[in-house]
Amino acid sequence: MIAVFGHLNPDTDAVTAALVYANLLSRQGTPAVAYRLGELNFETAFVLREAGVAAPELLSSLPDGHDVALVDHNESAQSLSGLKKLSVTHVVDHHRLGDLETSQPATLRFDPVGCTATILLRLHLEANLPVEPTDARLLLSAVLSDTLHFRSPTTTPADREAAAFLAPIAGVADVTTYALSMFAAKSDLGDTPASTLLKMDYKVFPFGAQQAGAQKWGLGVIETTNPGYVFGRQAELLAAMQAEKAAAGLDGLILSVVDILNETNHTLVAGESEAEVMRAAFGATVQGGMADLGHRISRKKQIVPALEAHFAP
Ligand SMILES: [Mn+2]
């Protein structure tokens, strides 16, 4: 039995990709079970509730050598701890290739598209398997989530085509209204503790030379239709960021507040060293602990590559 899971601090693409890929593998004769590596965010909880699908079980460890399929990630820093001791049999991903290692030949599928869901649709079509209506709803939700309803620069024509193909199968008549309801659910943060807000969409990246001088940064993102709510909690968030930076031994930590509807990014910095990097890597102005990153709303396409270039030896 293959354990299928997306990255730590899972988003909608990570959770739905695990569910749909586990079902696809099982339908193709390879028994697989979906898991998640963290709590659901409010958007993903909404999506699963609307689809009538139970959340996959939370996974914290597996015995050495267990078969695993990675979806929506491939870097060990974003995966189950002890990944190097597991047997990676499959990867379906749309991110940069990191430190992936496999102990045996594996099935790998990387496409530079806006979400894992678009690749999973391709896998169904290539296998001549119809997409089940519930899976279509999960995949459509992931396309809308990862591309911010096609606003993100990561969006490709294939993602738009995937959504148009999936919507009728999913029974979603008005995709725009559905996307807005997903974003409203995601933005309804209530009294969520600042430490949870920080980690809801949070990834750790190594930058620079792997030897001496390598940098480890935590990059959080809060995508919201109500950025004012997040800015109102800046002091609490700053404390949570500094605590996490120290606890995880990071060289830098930033938290991007992405205004989904206006497509802007105001990034909170944990300290002056991060502020310096924001100025140098992005030419950003930094005021009151917040860097103005303009319309750079994609961590994957606009934040990570700039930091990678900045720290390149
Ligand atoms: Mn994704």
Side-chain angles (χ1 to χ4, degrees), residues 48 112 119 136 195 238-239 242 289 297:
L48 296 187
I119 310 173
S195 55
L238 180 63
Q242 289 169 341
I297 60 174

mmCIF file of all heavy atoms in Angstrom, residues 48 112 119 136 195 238-239 242 289 297:
data_model
loop_
_atom_site.group_PDB
_atom_site.id
_atom_site.type_symbol
_atom_site.label_atom_id
_atom_site.label_comp_id
_atom_site.label_asym_id
_atom_site.label_seq_id
_atom_site.Cartn_x
_atom_site.Cartn_y
_atom_site.Cartn_z
ATOM 1 N N LEU A 48 -13.577 20.523 0.897
ATOM 2 C CA LEU A 48 -13.924 19.131 1.219
ATOM 3 C C LEU A 48 -15.375 19.033 1.698
ATOM 4 O O LEU A 48 -16.093 18.098 1.341
ATOM 5 C CB LEU A 48 -12.973 18.565 2.279
ATOM 6 C CG LEU A 48 -11.496 18.443 1.870
ATOM 7 C CD1 LEU A 48 -10.706 17.712 2.964
ATOM 8 C CD2 LEU A 48 -11.334 17.708 0.540
ATOM 9 N N PRO A 112 5.503 21.963 -15.887
ATOM 10 C CA PRO A 112 5.501 23.358 -15.429
ATOM 11 C C PRO A 112 4.143 24.008 -15.658
ATOM 12 O O PRO A 112 3.991 24.851 -16.526
ATOM 13 C CB PRO A 112 6.609 23.995 -16.273
ATOM 14 C CG PRO A 112 6.601 23.221 -17.542
ATOM 15 C CD PRO A 112 6.187 21.811 -17.183
ATOM 16 N N ILE A 119 -1.944 18.417 -13.847
ATOM 17 C CA ILE A 119 -1.180 17.217 -14.233
ATOM 18 C C ILE A 119 -2.021 15.966 -13.977
ATOM 19 O O ILE A 119 -2.027 15.034 -14.787
ATOM 20 C CB ILE A 119 0.148 17.128 -13.453
ATOM 21 C CG1 ILE A 119 0.918 18.448 -13.532
ATOM 22 C CG2 ILE A 119 0.997 15.971 -13.980
ATOM 23 C CD1 ILE A 119 2.162 18.482 -12.645
ATOM 24 N N ALA A 136 -13.381 15.446 -9.944
ATOM 25 C CA ALA A 136 -13.395 16.640 -10.798
ATOM 26 C C ALA A 136 -13.581 17.890 -9.939
ATOM 27 O O ALA A 136 -12.943 18.917 -10.168
ATOM 28 C CB ALA A 136 -14.511 16.537 -11.833
ATOM 29 N N SER A 195 0.569 32.170 15.499
ATOM 30 C CA SER A 195 1.516 31.116 15.128
ATOM 31 C C SER A 195 0.897 30.182 14.090
ATOM 32 O O SER A 195 1.597 29.642 13.233
ATOM 33 C CB SER A 195 1.935 30.329 16.369
ATOM 34 O OG SER A 195 0.789 29.841 17.039
ATOM 35 N N LEU A 238 4.563 39.326 14.027
ATOM 36 C CA LEU A 238 6.004 39.556 14.122
ATOM 37 C C LEU A 238 6.590 38.727 15.267
ATOM 38 O O LEU A 238 7.641 38.082 15.116
ATOM 39 C CB LEU A 238 6.294 41.046 14.332
ATOM 40 C CG LEU A 238 7.773 41.397 14.447
ATOM 41 C CD1 LEU A 238 8.512 41.050 13.152
ATOM 42 C CD2 LEU A 238 7.961 42.884 14.773
ATOM 43 N N ALA A 239 5.905 38.704 16.409
ATOM 44 C CA ALA A 239 6.382 37.905 17.550
ATOM 45 C C ALA A 239 6.421 36.421 17.185
ATOM 46 O O ALA A 239 7.381 35.708 17.506
ATOM 47 C CB ALA A 239 5.483 38.149 18.766
ATOM 48 N N GLN A 242 9.398 35.783 14.819
ATOM 49 C CA GLN A 242 10.703 35.773 15.489
ATOM 50 C C GLN A 242 10.879 34.508 16.333
ATOM 51 O O GLN A 242 11.965 33.931 16.389
ATOM 52 C CB GLN A 242 10.849 37.046 16.322
ATOM 53 C CG GLN A 242 11.032 38.270 15.423
ATOM 54 C CD GLN A 242 10.920 39.601 16.140
ATOM 55 O OE1 GLN A 242 10.369 39.655 17.248
ATOM 56 N NE2 GLN A 242 11.413 40.663 15.526
ATOM 57 N N GLY A 289 8.504 47.420 9.145
ATOM 58 C CA GLY A 289 8.570 45.958 9.161
ATOM 59 C C GLY A 289 7.821 45.299 8.014
ATOM 60 O O GLY A 289 7.555 44.096 8.047
ATOM 61 N N ILE A 297 2.897 38.158 -6.643
ATOM 62 C CA ILE A 297 1.980 37.407 -5.776
ATOM 63 C C ILE A 297 2.288 35.912 -5.742
ATOM 64 O O ILE A 297 1.652 35.172 -5.006
ATOM 65 C CB ILE A 297 0.501 37.637 -6.174
ATOM 66 C CG1 ILE A 297 0.237 37.192 -7.609
ATOM 67 C CG2 ILE A 297 0.138 39.107 -6.003
ATOM 68 C CD1 ILE A 297 -1.243 37.264 -7.997
#
